[in-house]
Amino acid sequence: MTVAVETGLWQLDAGASTVALRHKTMWNLVTVKGTFTAVTGQGEVRSDGSAVGTVTIDVASLDTKNAKRDTHLRGTDFFDADHHPQITFAVRSAELRDGDAVHVVGQLTVRGISRPLSFTARLVGADADALTLDGEFTVDRDEFGMGWNQMGMIRGLTTVAMSLRFTRTTG
């Protein structure tokens, strides 16, 4: 089944969207989970069916349910929110492929460092006025200058999971 997505401009519905991360710490014994509570974005579905856009995350909105840890994560060892208050993902191309699979290619910028990123998302709902994409990808913190790793406790990749709902603003 192929779903047609309406052309035009789309705005992220922040209240119906989530961006979360999880990372194993303490020598892979504990999984730290957090959610960014302030996310914005917009996109355009072009006449050929492909899409472009941007998702912006407010770094200071990270909530792991531990205030001391959140302060550390926002500091210079990790996200350095004072100097780099936003994480951005610039979507260069998003194309609906087989069924509900969406091939996403873009540029992820964290701490002022940009890296190419591609992954497959799922179009989990679409009608004339709204669409929802679910996706997950992994990143290596070291590639973004976040190599802090006291006593080897924090190794490996961080997983980012998102559910993004967009509403159509124009035709």
Side-chain angles (χ1 to χ4, degrees):
M1 174 184 97
T2 301
V3 179
V5 175
E6 296 290 328
T7 60
L9 300 178
W10 294 77
Q11 188 71 36
L12 184 77
D13 179 349
S17 299
T18 58
V19 176
L21 57 81
R22 65 183 183 272
H23 191 94
K24 291 198 177 284
T25 66
M26 304 293 288
W27 305 281
N28 284 334
L29 299 174
V30 176
T31 300
V32 172
K33 297 177 183 179
T35 302
F36 291 98
T37 59
V39 181
T40 59
Q42 68 284 326
E44 179 183 6
V45 176
R46 300 183 284 201
S47 58
D48 67 0
S50 67
V52 294
T54 304
V55 175
T56 303
I57 299 168
D58 179 355
V59 171
S61 75
L62 179 60
D63 182 7
T64 66
K65 308 296 184 210
N66 179 315
K68 184 177 179 181
R69 177 174 51 219
D70 292 347
T71 298
H72 187 207
L73 289 171
R74 291 179 191 123
T76 57
D77 286 338
F78 291 98
F79 289 106
D80 195 10
D82 288 345
H83 297 102
H84 305 284
Q86 297 178 329
I87 295 169
T88 59
F89 183 64
V91 178
R92 305 285 186 236
S93 171
E95 295 179 4
L96 190 58
R97 299 249 169 110
D98 301 323
D100 62 359
V102 179
H103 182 66
V104 180
V105 176
Q107 197 81 3
L108 179 64
T109 303
V110 182
R111 287 180 60 115
I113 300 169
S114 295
R115 300 276 187 249
L117 176 69
S118 63
F119 61 97
T120 300
R122 261 185 60 234
L123 184 63
V124 295
D127 59 35
D129 299 313
L131 64 87
T132 302
L133 289 168
D134 284 357
E136 186 173 289
F137 58 85
T138 58
V139 293
D140 183 340
R141 294 178 309 113
D142 287 342
E143 291 184 358
F144 296 96
M146 294 187 285
W148 187 88
N149 187 10
Q150 187 173 17
M151 295 172 28
M153 290 190 302
I154 306 172
R155 287 198 176 121
L157 302 175
T158 299
T159 301
V160 178
M162 73 212 100
S163 180
L164 304 175
R165 180 175 168 82
F166 291 87
T167 56
R168 194 159 173 258
T169 58
T170 66

